[in-house]
Amino acid sequence: MDMRTLVDELVGEAERLIRDQVWVLNPTDRTVAAKAATALDAAVGPSQIQETLPPMERLEHLREALAAVAIALARVHGHTAWFLGAAATALTPVLHWRALESEDRSAFGTVTPTLQQYTEAEEAVRRLQKTLAGIASG
């Protein structure tokens, strides 16, 4: 399952939990969501810009997005932490990607992603960003 699909499922579950008032957001949750949404927006820009970047920069931006989610996760508990933890897990494949060719065959198990994989990962980040912005605005 690709990252975009994982994030879509995660967002769907979050929306249901919030709608059903199982996940009740507090001011800290909203503040952390706002900061994370801003960081994700800064990391991965619009598709028409991202797709013009070289693979190394696209990968850097995706890793920045994962770092932003991890930082947000460190500041919350309960449903918000569980949501952000699942989001971080969904984005972890970027940790196994490389933009550089390996001169020897040893590359610590990394793989070179396809352009479609970059695009799907960036779309997942944008979906997550939109959801966090919605959580922040309540």
Side-chain angles (χ1 to χ4, degrees), residues 2-42:
D2 66 61
M3 279 183 256
R4 182 178 50 201
T5 303
L6 289 170
V7 168
D8 281 344
E9 289 178 0
L10 176 63
V11 165
E13 181 179 357
E15 289 170 345
R16 281 188 302 281
L17 291 172
I18 292 169
R19 182 184 62 244
D20 294 345
Q21 297 182 352
V22 173
W23 178 7
V24 179
L25 297 157
N26 63 43
T28 300
D29 295 331
R30 292 187 191 285
T31 299
V32 169
K35 288 179 183 178
T38 299
L40 291 178
D41 189 49

Short mmCIF file of all heavy atoms in Angstrom, two decimals, residues 2-42:
data_model
loop_
_atom_site.label_atom_id
_atom_site.label_comp_id
_atom_site.label_asym_id
_atom_site.label_seq_id
_atom_site.Cartn_x
_atom_site.Cartn_y
_atom_site.Cartn_z
N ASP A 2 0.60 2.20 -0.86
CA ASP A 2 1.45 3.39 -0.93
C ASP A 2 1.12 4.37 0.19
O ASP A 2 0.09 4.27 0.86
CB ASP A 2 1.33 4.05 -2.32
CG ASP A 2 -0.05 4.63 -2.59
OD1 ASP A 2 -0.46 5.54 -1.85
OD2 ASP A 2 -0.69 4.20 -3.56
N MET A 3 2.01 5.34 0.38
CA MET A 3 1.86 6.30 1.48
C MET A 3 0.57 7.11 1.37
O MET A 3 -0.07 7.40 2.37
CB MET A 3 3.05 7.26 1.48
CG MET A 3 4.27 6.70 2.14
SD MET A 3 5.57 7.91 2.17
CE MET A 3 6.59 7.26 0.85
N ARG A 4 0.22 7.47 0.16
CA ARG A 4 -0.98 8.28 -0.04
C ARG A 4 -2.21 7.53 0.47
O ARG A 4 -3.05 8.10 1.17
CB ARG A 4 -1.12 8.63 -1.52
CG ARG A 4 -2.31 9.50 -1.84
CD ARG A 4 -2.36 9.85 -3.29
NE ARG A 4 -2.22 8.64 -4.10
CZ ARG A 4 -1.83 8.62 -5.37
NH1 ARG A 4 -1.51 9.73 -5.97
NH2 ARG A 4 -1.75 7.49 -6.03
N THR A 5 -2.31 6.26 0.16
CA THR A 5 -3.44 5.44 0.60
C THR A 5 -3.43 5.29 2.11
O THR A 5 -4.49 5.40 2.76
CB THR A 5 -3.41 4.06 -0.09
OG1 THR A 5 -3.41 4.26 -1.50
CG2 THR A 5 -4.58 3.20 0.31
N LEU A 6 -2.27 5.05 2.69
CA LEU A 6 -2.17 4.93 4.14
C LEU A 6 -2.62 6.21 4.84
O LEU A 6 -3.37 6.16 5.82
CB LEU A 6 -0.74 4.59 4.56
CG LEU A 6 -0.24 3.19 4.23
CD1 LEU A 6 1.26 3.08 4.48
CD2 LEU A 6 -1.00 2.16 5.06
N VAL A 7 -2.17 7.34 4.32
CA VAL A 7 -2.55 8.61 4.94
C VAL A 7 -4.04 8.88 4.74
O VAL A 7 -4.71 9.36 5.66
CB VAL A 7 -1.67 9.77 4.41
CG1 VAL A 7 -2.23 11.12 4.82
CG2 VAL A 7 -0.24 9.61 4.92
N ASP A 8 -4.58 8.55 3.58
CA ASP A 8 -6.02 8.72 3.36
C ASP A 8 -6.83 7.92 4.37
O ASP A 8 -7.81 8.42 4.93
CB ASP A 8 -6.41 8.31 1.94
CG ASP A 8 -6.10 9.36 0.90
OD1 ASP A 8 -5.86 10.53 1.27
OD2 ASP A 8 -6.08 9.01 -0.30
N GLU A 9 -6.43 6.69 4.63
CA GLU A 9 -7.13 5.85 5.60
C GLU A 9 -6.99 6.43 7.01
O GLU A 9 -7.95 6.45 7.78
CB GLU A 9 -6.61 4.42 5.54
CG GLU A 9 -7.03 3.69 4.28
CD GLU A 9 -6.48 2.28 4.19
OE1 GLU A 9 -5.76 1.84 5.11
OE2 GLU A 9 -6.78 1.61 3.19
N LEU A 10 -5.81 6.88 7.34
CA LEU A 10 -5.55 7.48 8.64
C LEU A 10 -6.39 8.73 8.84
O LEU A 10 -7.02 8.92 9.89
CB LEU A 10 -4.05 7.81 8.74
CG LEU A 10 -3.57 8.53 9.98
CD1 LEU A 10 -3.79 7.67 11.21
CD2 LEU A 10 -2.09 8.86 9.82
N VAL A 11 -6.45 9.57 7.84
CA VAL A 11 -7.24 10.80 7.90
C VAL A 11 -8.73 10.46 8.05
O VAL A 11 -9.44 11.09 8.85
CB VAL A 11 -6.98 11.69 6.67
CG1 VAL A 11 -8.03 12.78 6.52
CG2 VAL A 11 -5.58 12.29 6.75
N GLY A 12 -9.18 9.47 7.33
CA GLY A 12 -10.58 9.05 7.45
C GLY A 12 -10.91 8.62 8.87
O GLY A 12 -11.97 8.99 9.41
N GLU A 13 -10.02 7.86 9.46
CA GLU A 13 -10.25 7.42 10.85
C GLU A 13 -10.25 8.62 11.79
O GLU A 13 -11.10 8.72 12.68
CB GLU A 13 -9.18 6.42 11.27
CG GLU A 13 -9.36 5.91 12.68
CD GLU A 13 -8.31 4.89 13.10
OE1 GLU A 13 -7.45 4.52 12.28
OE2 GLU A 13 -8.35 4.48 14.28
N ALA A 14 -9.32 9.53 11.60
CA ALA A 14 -9.25 10.72 12.46
C ALA A 14 -10.52 11.55 12.34
O ALA A 14 -11.07 11.99 13.35
CB ALA A 14 -8.03 11.56 12.08
N GLU A 15 -11.00 11.74 11.13
CA GLU A 15 -12.22 12.52 10.92
C GLU A 15 -13.42 11.87 11.61
O GLU A 15 -14.24 12.56 12.22
CB GLU A 15 -12.48 12.70 9.43
CG GLU A 15 -11.49 13.64 8.77
CD GLU A 15 -11.56 13.66 7.25
OE1 GLU A 15 -12.19 12.75 6.65
OE2 GLU A 15 -10.98 14.59 6.66
N ARG A 16 -13.50 10.54 11.54
CA ARG A 16 -14.60 9.83 12.22
C ARG A 16 -14.51 9.99 13.74
O ARG A 16 -15.52 10.25 14.40
CB ARG A 16 -14.59 8.35 11.85
CG ARG A 16 -15.18 8.04 10.50
CD ARG A 16 -15.33 6.55 10.26
NE ARG A 16 -14.07 5.79 10.35
CZ ARG A 16 -13.16 5.72 9.39
NH1 ARG A 16 -13.33 6.38 8.26
NH2 ARG A 16 -12.06 5.00 9.54
N LEU A 17 -13.31 9.83 14.27
CA LEU A 17 -13.14 9.94 15.72
C LEU A 17 -13.46 11.34 16.22
O LEU A 17 -14.07 11.50 17.29
CB LEU A 17 -11.70 9.56 16.11
CG LEU A 17 -11.34 8.09 15.95
CD1 LEU A 17 -9.85 7.87 16.19
CD2 LEU A 17 -12.17 7.22 16.89
N ILE A 18 -13.08 12.34 15.47
CA ILE A 18 -13.38 13.73 15.86
C ILE A 18 -14.88 13.99 15.74
O ILE A 18 -15.49 14.55 16.65
CB ILE A 18 -12.54 14.72 15.02
CG1 ILE A 18 -11.05 14.60 15.39
CG2 ILE A 18 -13.04 16.16 15.22
CD1 ILE A 18 -10.11 15.33 14.45
N ARG A 19 -15.46 13.57 14.63
CA ARG A 19 -16.91 13.77 14.41
C ARG A 19 -17.73 13.08 15.50
O ARG A 19 -18.70 13.63 16.02
CB ARG A 19 -17.30 13.24 13.03
CG ARG A 19 -18.78 13.44 12.70
CD ARG A 19 -19.18 12.83 11.37
NE ARG A 19 -18.97 11.39 11.38
CZ ARG A 19 -18.11 10.73 10.59
NH1 ARG A 19 -17.38 11.37 9.71
NH2 ARG A 19 -17.98 9.42 10.67
N ASP A 20 -17.32 11.87 15.88
CA ASP A 20 -18.05 11.10 16.90
C ASP A 20 -17.67 11.52 18.32
O ASP A 20 -18.14 10.91 19.29
CB ASP A 20 -17.79 9.60 16.72
CG ASP A 20 -18.35 9.06 15.42
OD1 ASP A 20 -19.19 9.75 14.78
OD2 ASP A 20 -17.94 7.95 15.03
N GLN A 21 -16.82 12.51 18.45
CA GLN A 21 -16.35 13.05 19.73
C GLN A 21 -15.65 12.01 20.60
O GLN A 21 -15.66 12.09 21.82
CB GLN A 21 -17.48 13.73 20.47
CG GLN A 21 -18.02 14.93 19.72
CD GLN A 21 -19.10 15.67 20.45
OE1 GLN A 21 -19.60 15.23 21.50
NE2 GLN A 21 -19.48 16.82 19.92
N VAL A 22 -15.03 11.05 19.93
CA VAL A 22 -14.17 10.09 20.63
C VAL A 22 -12.82 10.76 20.87
O VAL A 22 -12.21 10.61 21.92
CB VAL A 22 -14.01 8.79 19.81
CG1 VAL A 22 -12.98 7.88 20.43
CG2 VAL A 22 -15.36 8.10 19.65
N TRP A 23 -12.39 11.53 19.88
CA TRP A 23 -11.15 12.30 19.97
C TRP A 23 -11.56 13.75 20.17
O TRP A 23 -12.03 14.42 19.26
CB TRP A 23 -10.35 12.12 18.70
CG TRP A 23 -9.06 12.87 18.61
CD1 TRP A 23 -8.44 13.62 19.58
CD2 TRP A 23 -8.21 12.97 17.47
NE1 TRP A 23 -7.28 14.17 19.12
CE2 TRP A 23 -7.12 13.78 17.81
CE3 TRP A 23 -8.29 12.45 16.18
CZ2 TRP A 23 -6.08 14.07 16.91
CZ3 TRP A 23 -7.27 12.75 15.29
CH2 TRP A 23 -6.17 13.54 15.65
N VAL A 24 -11.41 14.22 21.40
CA VAL A 24 -11.76 15.60 21.73
C VAL A 24 -10.46 16.40 21.77
O VAL A 24 -9.57 16.13 22.59
CB VAL A 24 -12.50 15.67 23.07
CG1 VAL A 24 -12.84 17.11 23.42
CG2 VAL A 24 -13.76 14.81 23.03
N LEU A 25 -10.37 17.36 20.88
CA LEU A 25 -9.15 18.15 20.74
C LEU A 25 -9.09 19.25 21.80
O LEU A 25 -10.07 19.94 22.05
CB LEU A 25 -9.09 18.78 19.34
CG LEU A 25 -9.03 17.75 18.23
CD1 LEU A 25 -9.55 18.32 16.92
CD2 LEU A 25 -7.62 17.23 18.07
N ASN A 26 -7.92 19.40 22.40
CA ASN A 26 -7.73 20.47 23.38
C ASN A 26 -6.86 21.57 22.75
O ASN A 26 -6.35 21.38 21.63
CB ASN A 26 -7.13 19.91 24.68
CG ASN A 26 -5.75 19.31 24.48
OD1 ASN A 26 -4.90 19.87 23.78
ND2 ASN A 26 -5.51 18.16 25.08
N PRO A 27 -6.69 22.69 23.41
CA PRO A 27 -5.90 23.78 22.83
C PRO A 27 -4.46 23.38 22.48
O PRO A 27 -3.93 23.83 21.45
CB PRO A 27 -5.92 24.86 23.91
CG PRO A 27 -7.20 24.61 24.66
CD PRO A 27 -7.35 23.10 24.66
N THR A 28 -3.84 22.53 23.27
CA THR A 28 -2.48 22.08 22.95
C THR A 28 -2.47 21.28 21.66
O THR A 28 -1.60 21.47 20.80
CB THR A 28 -1.90 21.23 24.11
OG1 THR A 28 -1.86 22.04 25.29
CG2 THR A 28 -0.51 20.72 23.77
N ASP A 29 -3.45 20.39 21.50
CA ASP A 29 -3.55 19.61 20.27
C ASP A 29 -3.67 20.54 19.06
O ASP A 29 -3.01 20.33 18.04
CB ASP A 29 -4.79 18.70 20.29
CG ASP A 29 -4.73 17.63 21.36
OD1 ASP A 29 -3.63 17.20 21.73
OD2 ASP A 29 -5.82 17.22 21.82
N ARG A 30 -4.49 21.54 19.17
CA ARG A 30 -4.71 22.47 18.06
C ARG A 30 -3.45 23.29 17.75
O ARG A 30 -3.13 23.51 16.59
CB ARG A 30 -5.90 23.38 18.36
CG ARG A 30 -7.21 22.62 18.37
CD ARG A 30 -8.40 23.56 18.50
NE ARG A 30 -9.63 22.86 18.78
CZ ARG A 30 -10.33 22.15 17.91
NH1 ARG A 30 -9.91 22.04 16.67
NH2 ARG A 30 -11.45 21.55 18.26
N THR A 31 -2.74 23.71 18.80
CA THR A 31 -1.51 24.48 18.60
C THR A 31 -0.45 23.63 17.93
O THR A 31 0.21 24.07 16.97
CB THR A 31 -1.00 25.02 19.95
OG1 THR A 31 -1.99 25.88 20.51
CG2 THR A 31 0.31 25.78 19.78
N VAL A 32 -0.29 22.41 18.40
CA VAL A 32 0.70 21.50 17.80
C VAL A 32 0.31 21.18 16.36
O VAL A 32 1.17 21.16 15.46
CB VAL A 32 0.85 20.22 18.65
CG1 VAL A 32 1.65 19.16 17.91
CG2 VAL A 32 1.52 20.56 19.97
N ALA A 33 -0.97 20.96 16.11
CA ALA A 33 -1.43 20.69 14.74
C ALA A 33 -1.14 21.88 13.83
O ALA A 33 -0.72 21.70 12.68
CB ALA A 33 -2.92 20.36 14.75
N ALA A 34 -1.36 23.08 14.33
CA ALA A 34 -1.09 24.29 13.52
C ALA A 34 0.39 24.40 13.17
O ALA A 34 0.75 24.68 12.01
CB ALA A 34 -1.56 25.54 14.27
N LYS A 35 1.24 24.17 14.15
CA LYS A 35 2.69 24.25 13.89
C LYS A 35 3.13 23.16 12.92
O LYS A 35 3.94 23.40 12.03
CB LYS A 35 3.46 24.14 15.21
CG LYS A 35 3.35 25.38 16.07
CD LYS A 35 4.11 25.22 17.37
CE LYS A 35 3.92 26.44 18.25
NZ LYS A 35 4.61 26.31 19.54
N ALA A 36 2.59 21.97 13.09
CA ALA A 36 2.96 20.87 12.19
C ALA A 36 2.46 21.15 10.78
O ALA A 36 3.18 20.90 9.80
CB ALA A 36 2.38 19.56 12.71
N ALA A 37 1.24 21.67 10.65
CA ALA A 37 0.71 21.99 9.33
C ALA A 37 1.58 23.02 8.63
O ALA A 37 1.87 22.90 7.43
CB ALA A 37 -0.73 22.50 9.45
N THR A 38 2.01 24.03 9.37
CA THR A 38 2.89 25.06 8.79
C THR A 38 4.21 24.45 8.36
O THR A 38 4.72 24.76 7.27
CB THR A 38 3.11 26.19 9.82
OG1 THR A 38 1.84 26.77 10.14
CG2 THR A 38 4.05 27.25 9.29
N ALA A 39 4.77 23.59 9.19
CA ALA A 39 6.05 22.96 8.85
C ALA A 39 5.92 22.04 7.63
O ALA A 39 6.81 22.00 6.78
CB ALA A 39 6.59 22.18 10.06
N LEU A 40 4.82 21.31 7.54
CA LEU A 40 4.61 20.43 6.39
C LEU A 40 4.44 21.25 5.11
O LEU A 40 4.95 20.88 4.05
CB LEU A 40 3.40 19.53 6.60
CG LEU A 40 3.54 18.46 7.67
CD1 LEU A 40 2.24 17.67 7.82
CD2 LEU A 40 4.70 17.53 7.38
N ASP A 41 3.72 22.36 5.22
CA ASP A 41 3.53 23.23 4.06
C ASP A 41 4.87 23.81 3.60
O ASP A 41 5.12 23.91 2.39
CB ASP A 41 2.55 24.34 4.41
CG ASP A 41 2.15 25.15 3.20
OD1 ASP A 41 1.78 24.54 2.16
OD2 ASP A 41 2.19 26.39 3.28
N ALA A 42 5.73 24.15 4.54
CA ALA A 42 7.05 24.68 4.19
C ALA A 42 7.95 23.60 3.59
O ALA A 42 8.77 23.89 2.72
CB ALA A 42 7.70 25.29 5.43
#
